C-alpha cells in the first residue's frame, strides 16, 4: 500500500470528519487515522446533541464565529446528509428576579454575535409555550435557531460522505509520533509510518498531546466530564424546547431537552478530571443532574430513566477554539480545544480548515463531487405503500429485531454493509438505534450478534461491544464447547 | 385478515388463553401473533426443572411445559404466526408486521394482551461507573447460555436476587464460572425461597442482603465492581466498600410488564403493577381487550399464569359470542395494610366463574402474620402465614356462594395478629 497522502487527519470525531468531507471537494488524497474501531467513539458520541444558537460565546472569538456559521450551515448539511435535525428553539430560563440582568446580557451578546430572531419572553409567554416550566420562571431568552440533532448520524454521515468522495479511513490505529522530515510530515502509528504534506490534528481530548509532539508552544487540555440521564420516549412532548438554566463559568448548566428521537435528555454536569479516556458516570453526578433538572422543569419523571452516560469536553486552558497552522510547523494544522459548541460548529470548522489547507497546498476543486448521502432506510418512517414494497422485495425489512425501537434486520444488515459499516454492537446501535430503547439491548443484543457474525463472517464469540477487548461472550458452554 | 380473537404474544399466557377460548367455543377463529421465532415465550430459555408442579403434578422444564400447550393447538384449530410483531392494538383491529405479509391488520372481535415483561436494564438502575462489555441482564445471559450456547463470562457478580438471577447463579456455576456474590439492595430477597436454597446455598454462593453495586470498572470489558452496604434508605454506607474482581455483572433487578401497546391503545394502567387494571374476567378498561400473564402483573410461577390466562381466554370467547350476563352488583377489591396491589381490581358478580381468585403481593416482609379478608369491614377470613414476602405472590380463593351477599367492597390486609 502507498503510505503517502496529501493530507492526514488525526481523529474521526465530528471535527475530523467534517474537515475530511470538506477536503474531499478538492483534488487530493486524504487519510483519516482513528485509534478506535469506528467513527464517533470520542466526545462526539456523548454530548447533548444541541445545535446552539450562538449567544453564549464571547463576541469576536472563533467559538462565536464558528458557532454562528455552523448553525447557519446545519439545516442544509442535514438535508444533504439525511441527518435528523429539529430546529425547536431554546430557552434560557431565569428563575430568580435578582438574575434578570443576566438574561439581558445574554441577549445583548447574542445581538453582537448576530444571532437571528431572539426574544426575551415574560413568565407568562414562557408558560404558554412550555407548560411544564418551573413556577419560579421570571423570564427567558428564546432563540428560535437552536435545535436538536442526532450526533451519531452527524458524525457517521460526514464520514460516509467523505469516504464516498475518496477519503480513506484507518481504524484501530493510534498515532504515536509525528516528525517533520524533508518538507513532509511522517506520522507514526507504531507498526507503520504514513507520509503527508499536511496534517490536521482533530484528536479531541488528546489534541494537546498530538500538538505537543511537534510544537514547542505547548498546549494543555483538561477533560471536563459531563454526566447525563436519558429518559424514555413515553415522556415525549413533556418539554418542547431546549431548556437551559442561566450559564455559569463552568458552562451552560444542566439542560432539559427532547432529543431528535423523542427521548428526553437531562444533563450535563461539569467536573474536571484526569483521564482523557475514561468517562465514568458518578453517583454524585447523577444526583446533580436530577437536582438541576427539577429547578427548571416541574414534575419531570426522572424514574423513566433508561440509561446514564457521560462525555468529556476538551477544555483548553485558553478556553478558545484553536484553529490554525501551529507556530513554526508549516503544514501542521490544529483543531484544539473543540469543546462545546463543537458539534454545532463542525460544518464551519470543516469549511474553515479546508480553506486553510487547500490554500497551503494549492489544491484544486474536483469537477465532480457528491455531497449527498442517504441514511439507513427506516421502514417505520416510510409511507405504508413504500414500506409494503420494500418488505416484498427485501423480506428482512419485515423482521423486527429491536422491539423497543422497531428496528428491522434489513436496517441492521444495511448498517453493516454500507461503506465504513458497523463492526460491533455499538456500531450497529449508533447507526440504527437497535439497542437504544427502553430495554437497552436486553432482547436484541444476542440477535444482533448473530447478524454481525453472519455478515462479517466471524465467530460469534469474537463479536465486541465496541472493538478491542470488549468481547461480549467469553467462550462456549460445556455442551457446545 | 379476520379473526374472532387475536392473542398478542405466544408465551405461556397466550397459549393458555388461546386453548381455553377454543375449548369454550370450538367454532371460534383464534389467531396467535408472536414476534419471536418460536412459541413458548420466556419458557424457551428456562431449561431448568420446576415448571408445572401445580398444573401437571410433575416437574417439567420450561420448554417441556410449553410443549404441553403447543401440542394442543393444531387439534383445536388455533392458528399462529411467528416472527410477527404486533405494532398497534385497538379493540377490534390489530396491526402487525412480518417479512411475508408486510404490515397487515386483523379485524377481530376481541384481543388478549399476553406480551409478558422485560428486564430492568442497567440504565434504569442508575448504576454509576464505566460502560464496558460484560454487563448483562440475567435473562439476556440466560438466553446466551441456554439458547446460543455461549458463556457471558467467567467471574461473576450478580446484582439483585430475583429468580432469574438466582437461577443464573446456579447455571453459570454448573458451566464452570465462579459466582462471587449475589448482592441485594433490600434486606430480603426478591426471589423464591426454594431458589435461594437450591441455587445459592447448595453452591456456597454468598447472598449479601442490603448491598448494592456502586461502581463498575474496566474500559473495554468489566474488570471489577465495587459493592457497598446500604442503610435503611438504600444509601451506600461509607467505609463498607469492597472491590470484587470479575469480568461480568448480571442484573436481576426486577421485571417491567411490556405495556407500550396497551398504553397506546388507551388501556388504563395500575401504577402498582405497571399492568392493566382488570376485572374478574381479566378484561381491561377497554371492552373486548383482555390481559393476562406477566403483562398484567409479574408472576413467579408459570402455573398461575396458565390458570389466570385460561380465565382470560374463556372470557374473551364469551365476549365474542356476546354472552353477556345481566348487569349485577360490582364489588371493589381494596388494598389494605401491607398489600401493594390486587388482581383483579373489581368483580362483576354475575360474570364470575365458580370462584374468585385474588392474587396480590405484600410491600414488605411479614413474619408470623395474618392475611385478612374483610367484606364491607367484616372479617371473612383470618389466615396465619409464617412468612409473607414481596418476592412471593399470595392468593386467596373465594367461592362464588361466599360472595352471594354481594358486599360492595372486599379488603385484603396483612396484620400482626
Ligand atoms: C458533556 C458534553 C456536552 C456537549 N454538548 C454539546 C452540544 O450540545 N452542542 C455542541 O455543539 N457541542 C457539544 N459538545 C461539544 C462537542 O461534543 C464536541 O465539541 C465535539 O464532539 C468534538 O468533536 P471532535 O471530533 O473534536 O472530538 P472527538 O469526538 O473526541 O474525536 C476525536 C477523535 O480522535 C481520536 N484520537 C485521539 N487521539 C488519537 C490518536 N493518537 N490517534 C488516532 N486517533 C486519536 C479519538 O479516538 C476520537 O475518536 C458537548 C461536549 C460534551 C463533553
Ligand atoms: C428467567 C425466568 C425463569 C423462570 N423460572 C420459573 C420456574 O422455575 N418455575 C415457574 O413456574 N415459573 C418460572 N418463571 C415464570 C414464568 O416463566 C413466567 O411467568 C411466564 O413465562 C410468563 O408468561 P407470559 O406468557 O406472560 O410471558 P412470556 O413468557 O414473556 O411471553 C410473552 C410473549 O409475548 C411475545 N410478545 C410480546 N410483545 C409482542 C408483540 N408486540 N407482538 C408479538 N408478540 C409479542 C413475546 O415474544 C413472548 O413470546 C420464570 C420466568 C423467567 C423470566
Amino acid at each position: 500500500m502507498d503510505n503517502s497522502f496529501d493530507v492526514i487527519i488525526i481523529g474521526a470525531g465530528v471535527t475530523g470528519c467534517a474537515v475530511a468531507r470538506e477536503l474531499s471537494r478538492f483534488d487530493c488524497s486524504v487519510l483519516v487515522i482513528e485509534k478506535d474501531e469506528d467513527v464517533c467513539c470520542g466526545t462526539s458520541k456523548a454530548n447533548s446533541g444541541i445545535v446552539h444558537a450562538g449567544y453564549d460565546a464571547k463576541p469576536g472569538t472563533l467559538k462565536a464565529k464558528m458557532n454562528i456559521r455552523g448553525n447557519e450551515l446545519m439545516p442544509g448539511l442535514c438535508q444533504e446528509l439525511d441527518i435528523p435535525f429539529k430546529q425547536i428553539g431554546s430557552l434560557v430560563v431565569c428563575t430568580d428576579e435578582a438574575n434578570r440582568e443576566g438574561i439581558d446580557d445574554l441577549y445583548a451578546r447574542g445581538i453582537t454575535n448576530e444571532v437571528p430572531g431572539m426574544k426575551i419572553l415574560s413568565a407568562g409567554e414562557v408558560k404558554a409555550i412550555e407548560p411544564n416550566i418551573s413556577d419560579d420562571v421570571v423570564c427567558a431568552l428564546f432563540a428560535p435557531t437552536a435545535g436538536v440533532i442526532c450526533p451519531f448520524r452527524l458524525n457517521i454521515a460526514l464520514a460516509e460522505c467523505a469516504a464516498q468522495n475518496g477519503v480513506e479511513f484507518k481504524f484501530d490505529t493510534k498515532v504515536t509520533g509525528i516528525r517533520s522530515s524533508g518538507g513532509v510530515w511522517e506520522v507514526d502509528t507504531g507498526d507503520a509510518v504514513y507520509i503527508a504534506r499536511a496534517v490536521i490534528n482533530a484528536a479531541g481530548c488528546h489534541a494537546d498531546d498530538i500538538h505537543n509532539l511537534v510544537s514547542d508552544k505547548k498546549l494543555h487540555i483538561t477533560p471536563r466530564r459531563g454526566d447525563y440521564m436519558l429518559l424514555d420516549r413515553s415522556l415525549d412532548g413533556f418539554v418542547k424546547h431546549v431548556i437551559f438554566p442561566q450559564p455559569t463559568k463552568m458552562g451552560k448548566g444542566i439542560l432539559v431537552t427532547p432529543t431528535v428521537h423523542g427521548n428526553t435528555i437531562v444533563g450535563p454536569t461539569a467536573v474536571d478530571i484526569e483521564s482523557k479516556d475514561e468517562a465514568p458516570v458518578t453517583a454524585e453526578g447523577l444526583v446533580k443532574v436530577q437536582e438541576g433538572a427539577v429547578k427548571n422543569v416541574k414534575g419531570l419523571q426522572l424514574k423513566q430513566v433508561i440509561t446514564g452516560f457521560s462525555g468529556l469536553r476538551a477544555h483548553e486552558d485558553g478556553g478558545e477554539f484553536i484553529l490554525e497552522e501551529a507556530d513554526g510547523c508549516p503544514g501542521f494544522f490544529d483543531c484544539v480545544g473543540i469543546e462545546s459548541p463543537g458539534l454545532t460548529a463542525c460544518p464551519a470548522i470543516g469549511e474553515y480548515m479546508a480553506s486553510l489547507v487547500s490554500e497551503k497546498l494549492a489544491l484544486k476543486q474536483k469537477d465532480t463531487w457528491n455531497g449527498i448521502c442517504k441514511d439507513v432506510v427506516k421502514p417505520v418512517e416510510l409511507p405504508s405503500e413504500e414500506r409494503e414494497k420494500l418488505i416484498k422485495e427485501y423480506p428482512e425489512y419485515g423482521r423486527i429485531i429491536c422491539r423497543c425501537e422497531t428496528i428491522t434486520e434489513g436496517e441492521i444488515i444495511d448498517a453493516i454493509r454500507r461503506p465504513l459499516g458497523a463492526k460491533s454492537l455499538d456500531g450497529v446501535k449508533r447507526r440504527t438505534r437497535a439497542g437504544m430503547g427502553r430495554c437497552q439491548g436486553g432482547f436484541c443484543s444476542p440477535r444482533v450478534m448473530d447478524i454481525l457474525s453472519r455478515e462479517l463472517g466471524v465467530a460469534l464469540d469474537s463479536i465486541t461491544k465496541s472493538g478491542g477487548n470488549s468481547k461480549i461472550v467469553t467462550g462456549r458452554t460445556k455442551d457446545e464447547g | 385478515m379476520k379473526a374472532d380473537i387475536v392473542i398478542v404474544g405466544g408465551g405461556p399466557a397466550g397459549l393458555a388463553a388461546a386453548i381455553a377460548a377454543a375449548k369454550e367455543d370450538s367454532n371460534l377463529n383464534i389467531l396467535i401473533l408472536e414476534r419471536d421465532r418460536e412459541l413458548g415465550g420466556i419458557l424457551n430459555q428456562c431449561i431448568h426443572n420446576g415448571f408445572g408442579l401445580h398444573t401437571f403434578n410433575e416437574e417439567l422444564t420450561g420448554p417441556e411445559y410449553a410443549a404441553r400447550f403447543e401440542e394442543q393447538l393444531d387439534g383445536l384449530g388455533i392458528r399462529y404466526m411467528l416472527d410477527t410483531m404486533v405494532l398497534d392494538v385497538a379493540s377490534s383491529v390489530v396491526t402487525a408486521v412480518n417479512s411475508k405479509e408486510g404490515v397487515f391488520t386483523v379485524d377481530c372481535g376481541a384481543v388478549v394482551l399476553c406480551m409478558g415483561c422485560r428486564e430492568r436494564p442497567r440504565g434504569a438502575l442508575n448504576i454509576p461507573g464505566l460502560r464496558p462489555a460484560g454487563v448483562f441482564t440475567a435473562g439476556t445471559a440466560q438466553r446466551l447460555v441456554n439458547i446460543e450456547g455461549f458463556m457471558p463470562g467467567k467471574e461473576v457478580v450478580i446484582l439483585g436476587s430475583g429468580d432469574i438471577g438466582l437461577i443464573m447463579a446456579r447455571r453459570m456455576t454448573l458451566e464452570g464460572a465462579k459466582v462471587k456474590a449475589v448482592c441485594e439492595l433490600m434486606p430480603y430477597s426478591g426471589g423464591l425461597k426454594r431458589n435461594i436454597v437450591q441455587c445459592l446455598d447448595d453452591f456456597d454462593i454468598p447472598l449479601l442482603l442490603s448491598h448494592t453495586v456502586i461502581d463498575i470498572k474496566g474500559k473495554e470489558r468489566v474488570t471489577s465492581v465495587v459493592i457497598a452496604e446500604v442503610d435503611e434508605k438504600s444509601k451506600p454506607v461509607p467505609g463498607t466498600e469492597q472491590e470484587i474482581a470479575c469480568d461480568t455483572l448480571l442484573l436481576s433487578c426486577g421485571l417491567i410488564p411490556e405495556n407500550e401497546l396497551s398504553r397506546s391503545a388507551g388501556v388504563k394502567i395500575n401504577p402498582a403493577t405497571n399492568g392493566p387494571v382488570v376485572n374478574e374476567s381479566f378484561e381491561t378498561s377497554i371492552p373486548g381487550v383482555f390481559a393476562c400473564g406477566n403483562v398484567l402483573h409479574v408472576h413467579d410461577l408459570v402455573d398461575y399464569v396458565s390458570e389466570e390466562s385460561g380465565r382470560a381466554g374463556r372470557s374473551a370467547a364469551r365476549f365474542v359470542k356476546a354472552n353477556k350476563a345481566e348487569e349485577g352488583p360490582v364489588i371493589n377489591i381494596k388494598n389494605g395494610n401491607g398489600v401493594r396491589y390486587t388482581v383483579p381490581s373489581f368483580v362483576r358478580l354475575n360474570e364470575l366463574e365458580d370462584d374468585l381468585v385474588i392474587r396480590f403481593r405484600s410491600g414488605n416482609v411479614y413474619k408470623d402474620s395474618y392475611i385478612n379478608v374483610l367484606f364491607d369491614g367484616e372479617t371473612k377470613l383470618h389466615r396465619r402465614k409464617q412468612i409473607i414476602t414481596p418476592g412471593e405472590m399470595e392468593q386467596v380463593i373465594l367461592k362464588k356462594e361466599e360472595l352471594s351477599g354481594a358486599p360492595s367492597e372486599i379488603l385484603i390486609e396483612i396484620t400482626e395478629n
Side-chain angles (χ1 to χ4, degrees):
Chain A
M1 177 187 159
D2 184 5
N3 278 0
S4 273
F5 294 84
D6 290 314
V7 186
I8 285 178
I9 298 172
I10 304 170
V14 287
T15 306
C17 293
V19 178
R21 178 175 184 263
E22 284 305 314
L23 274 177
S24 74
R25 295 176 189 267
F26 294 91
D27 205 358
C28 63
S29 57
V30 181
L31 173 70
V32 180
I33 300 180
E34 168 56 53
K35 70 176 166 56
D36 288 331
E37 57 121 20
D38 197 353
V39 304
C40 200
C41 284
T43 300
S44 302
K45 77 166 183 202
N47 50 63
S48 320
I50 309 299
V51 173
H52 293 290
Y55 45 73
D56 280 286
K58 210 159 121 206
T61 59
L62 274 172
K63 262 190 182 168
K65 280 190 205 137
M66 294 294 145
N67 186 337
I68 298 292
R69 178 70 181 144
N71 182 293
E72 208 171 82
L73 290 172
M74 200 59 91
L77 182 73
C78 290
Q79 282 246 301
E80 288 175 356
L81 297 184
D82 204 5
I83 301 167
F85 173 48
K86 291 184 187 153
Q87 216 151 22
I88 57 177
S90 66
L91 291 166
V92 180
V93 179
C94 170
T95 51
D96 184 349
E97 199 51 64
N99 297 336
R100 191 187 270 274
E101 248 171 54
I103 296 288
D104 296 335
D105 292 349
L106 217 49
Y107 178 80
R109 208 183 248 208
I111 294 293
T112 318
N113 287 351
E114 298 185 29
V115 176
M118 289 181 306
K119 263 194 251 152
I120 294 182
L121 304 183
S122 68
E125 288 171 321
V126 180
K127 282 182 193 155
I129 59 168
E130 196 63 81
N132 295 311
I133 203 79
S134 157
D135 290 329
D136 299 334
V137 61
V138 176
C139 64
L141 174 67
F142 174 64
T145 53
V148 290
I149 193 168
C150 173
F152 313 122
R153 176 64 197 156
L154 173 63
N155 199 157
I156 291 165
L158 287 166
E160 283 177 351
C161 184
Q164 136 186 324
N165 289 292
V167 173
E168 290 180 45
F169 284 79
K170 269 229 149 292
F171 294 107
D172 291 316
T173 306
K174 182 173 176 174
V175 173
T176 52
I178 306 176
R179 291 172 297 274
S180 157
S181 158
V184 294
W185 292 97
E186 291 181 1
V187 177
D188 195 339
T189 63
D191 43 13
V193 175
Y194 299 88
I195 312 287
R197 295 165 65 204
V199 171
I200 297 169
N201 169 19
C205 287
H206 292 279
D208 56 345
D209 304 330
I210 296 287
H211 167 94
N212 294 343
L213 289 173
V214 299
S215 171
D216 293 331
K217 202 182 122 205
K218 301 299 175 200
L219 295 176
H220 177 252
I221 285 176
T222 308
R224 184 170 283 174
R225 202 193 65 232
D227 291 351
Y228 288 94
M229 285 167 68
L230 186 74
L231 311 182
D232 191 78
R233 271 192 304 173
S234 57
L235 301 181
D236 195 12
F238 194 80
V239 295
K240 302 176 190 333
H241 303 82
V242 184
I243 302 175
F244 294 102
Q246 289 180 266
T248 68
K249 224 174 57 218
M250 283 298 268
K252 300 189 220 7
I254 294 183
L255 60 85
V256 181
T257 181
T259 69
V260 77
H261 297 289
N263 294 92
T264 301
I265 197 172
V266 186
T269 53
V271 184
D272 290 345
I273 64 165
E274 300 276 313
S275 169
K276 294 177 170 182
D277 294 303
E278 296 192 347
V281 177
T282 62
E284 309 84 71
L286 292 176
V287 170
K288 282 219 182 84
V289 166
Q290 306 189 25
E291 288 170 356
V294 296
K295 271 196 200 132
N296 282 332
V297 178
K298 59 180 182 195
L300 186 64
Q301 279 186 45
L302 293 161
K303 281 218 167 97
Q304 294 285 342
V305 58
I306 59 173
T307 190
F309 64 90
S310 69
L312 298 179
R313 305 170 184 86
H315 177 72
E316 210 283 323
D317 292 354
E320 167 66 320
F321 286 174
I322 300 173
L323 301 168
E324 62 193 19
E325 190 170 32
D327 238 11
C329 305
F332 184 93
F333 293 86
D334 275 323
C335 307
V336 181
I338 311 304
E339 56 186 334
S340 189
L343 207 64
T344 314
C346 76
I349 294 178
E351 185 181 70
Y352 181 65
M353 296 309 292
S355 76
L356 295 186
V357 174
S358 63
E359 201 169 302
K360 182 83 186 178
L361 303 184
L363 301 175
K364 278 209 297 286
Q365 295 250 5
K366 287 178 192 162
D367 295 336
T368 56
W369 180 76
N370 181 5
I372 309 283
C373 235
K374 279 281 165 212
D375 195 358
V376 172
V377 173
K378 301 190 164 64
V380 246
E381 289 170 11
L382 294 178
S384 54
E385 300 102 75
E386 275 178 51
R387 186 174 183 179
E388 274 323 81
K389 240 179 71 193
L390 182 70
I391 298 174
K392 273 246 155 62
E393 195 169 349
Y394 304 102
E396 55 272 22
Y397 283 99
R399 204 170 296 131
I400 308 278
I401 302 292
C402 166
R403 298 146 174 195
C404 305
E405 298 290 311
T406 331
I407 309 298
T408 63
E409 183 167 6
E411 290 159 86
I412 295 169
I413 294 175
D414 183 5
I416 299 169
R417 289 190 189 163
R418 57 179 34 223
L420 306 179
K423 291 168 287 208
S424 64
L425 281 187
D426 281 359
V428 168
K429 176 164 108 178
R430 286 197 282 271
R431 283 170 181 78
T432 63
R433 295 184 59 74
M436 275 197 194
R438 48 183 73 90
C439 92
Q440 291 284 299
F443 283 121
C444 68
S445 54
R447 294 190 69 180
V448 176
M449 286 165 71
D450 270 343
I451 300 170
L452 275 165
S453 143
R454 190 184 73 209
E455 288 291 318
L456 299 173
V458 299
L460 196 131
D461 52 5
S462 65
I463 301 294
T464 64
K465 176 172 184 285
S466 52
N469 289 321
S470 66
K471 293 215 173 80
I472 312 284
V473 296
T474 56
R476 312 248 27 170
T477 54
K478 285 180 176 167
D479 285 349
E480 304 285 333
Chain B
M1 237 176 266
K2 270 190 165 35
D4 291 312
I5 302 177
V6 172
I7 313 258
V8 185
L15 292 170
I19 289 167
K23 286 183 173 164
E24 180 79 13
D25 181 346
S26 59
N27 293 321
L28 289 178
N29 174 345
I30 299 166
L31 176 63
I32 304 175
L33 301 177
E34 167 56 52
R35 63 185 174 186
D36 218 324
R37 288 172 282 199
E38 50 192 348
L39 295 170
I42 283 295
L43 293 182
N44 291 315
Q45 63 184 61
C46 301
I47 59 170
H48 54 280
N49 271 325
F51 295 83
L53 269 173
H54 298 251
T55 314
F56 300 110
N57 279 324
E58 14 174 353
E59 282 214 48
L60 305 173
T61 65
E64 285 168 354
Y65 184 89
R68 295 277 168 106
F69 290 84
E70 285 165 40
E71 62 208 14
Q72 298 179 50
L73 298 182
D74 282 350
L76 291 165
I78 297 167
R79 294 180 300 148
Y80 58 89
M81 294 167 82
L82 300 177
D83 258 327
T84 302
M85 167 114 173
V86 174
L87 301 172
D88 189 59
V89 170
S91 58
S92 55
V93 53
V94 169
T95 310
V97 62
N98 67 22
S99 52
K100 275 198 224 83
E101 321 280 334
V103 179
F104 62 97
T105 55
V106 189
D107 295 322
C108 55
V111 182
V112 190
L113 304 173
C114 307
M115 288 91 72
C117 53
R118 64 169 178 272
E119 298 174 275
R120 202 179 292 279
R122 171 189 178 175
L125 300 163
N126 285 337
I127 305 174
L130 291 169
R131 305 203 302 154
V135 182
F136 302 86
T137 58
T140 304
Q142 187 178 47
R143 182 168 187 110
L144 284 169
V145 176
N146 291 349
I147 298 195
E148 315 281 337
F150 286 96
M151 288 295 283
K154 299 192 179 99
E155 299 200 307
V156 185
V157 170
I158 299 180
L159 176 62
S161 60
D163 288 312
I164 319 176
L166 300 176
I167 282 162
M168 282 312 287
R170 174 174 66 187
R171 186 81 182 106
M172 295 290 282
T173 307
L174 293 173
E175 286 292 343
K178 171 89 189 129
V179 178
K180 296 194 162 175
V182 175
C183 300
E184 168 58 58
L185 184 70
M186 304 308 285
Y188 49 84
S189 161
L192 295 172
K193 180 76 188 154
R194 73 164 197 222
N195 283 337
I196 292 172
V197 174
Q198 294 171 4
C199 301
L200 299 188
D201 299 355
D202 289 0
F203 297 92
D204 293 325
I205 298 169
L207 171 60
L208 305 174
L209 297 174
S210 301
H211 274 73
T212 192
V213 172
I214 58 165
D215 199 3
I216 299 175
K217 298 191 177 179
K219 180 157 163 52
E220 298 186 316
R221 174 92 199 184
V222 176
T223 54
S224 69
V225 300
V226 179
I227 65 166
E229 225 175 290
V230 296
D231 60 21
E232 312 80 62
K233 289 188 186 129
S234 300
K235 291 269 168 285
V237 179
T240 63
E241 300 85 359
Q242 269 185 70
E243 184 161 349
I244 306 183
C246 60
D247 62 8
T248 306
L249 174 65
L250 296 190
L251 305 171
S252 180
C253 302
L255 300 169
I256 308 170
E258 284 252 283
N259 276 298
E260 283 65 38
L261 284 178
S262 328
R263 282 202 181 88
S264 60
V267 163
K268 189 168 162 211
I269 301 288
N270 177 348
T273 54
N274 280 315
V277 172
V278 293
N279 61 26
E280 77 301 320
S281 304
F282 295 90
E283 190 174 20
T284 67
S285 60
I286 302 182
V289 177
F290 299 78
C292 53
N294 276 353
V295 81
L296 178 59
H297 59 144
V298 175
H299 294 67
D300 343 297
L301 287 181
V302 70
D303 303 81
Y304 295 153
V305 171
S306 305
E307 187 267 343
E308 151 189 310
S309 305
R311 285 177 195 258
R314 287 191 294 275
S315 311
R318 288 196 294 268
F319 179 89
V320 171
K321 291 187 299 181
N323 254 350
K324 243 177 131 3
E326 240 174 74
E327 266 188 40
V330 173
I331 309 171
N332 285 313
I333 306 180
K334 286 261 152 47
N335 313 335
N337 181 53
V339 174
R340 267 191 53 228
Y341 72 82
T342 65
V343 170
S345 301
F346 65 97
V347 180
R348 297 166 306 171
L349 205 50
N350 292 359
E351 298 284 352
L352 191 62
E353 294 185 340
D354 22 328
D355 52 12
L356 171 65
V357 183
I358 302 173
R359 301 216 156 96
F360 61 96
R361 281 186 196 265
S362 67
N364 214 326
V365 176
Y366 295 88
K367 293 201 171 119
D368 291 323
S369 309
Y370 291 84
I371 292 175
N372 302 321
V373 178
L374 288 78
F375 284 10
D376 291 332
E378 191 184 319
T379 305
K380 278 285 162 187
L381 191 141
H382 181 63
R383 186 170 81 202
R384 179 144 184 267
K385 276 280 283 193
Q386 226 174 20
I387 181 132
I388 302 173
T389 80
E392 304 204 19
M393 191 187 285
E394 297 292 334
Q395 65 179 22
V396 293
I397 301 178
L398 303 169
K399 292 257 161 280
K400 193 167 183 178
E401 310 82 83
E402 294 178 75
L403 296 166
S404 55
S408 64
E409 176 185 298
I410 299 179
L411 182 90
I412 315 277
E413 62 172 19
I414 301 169
T415 55
E416 307 273 304
N417 41 49

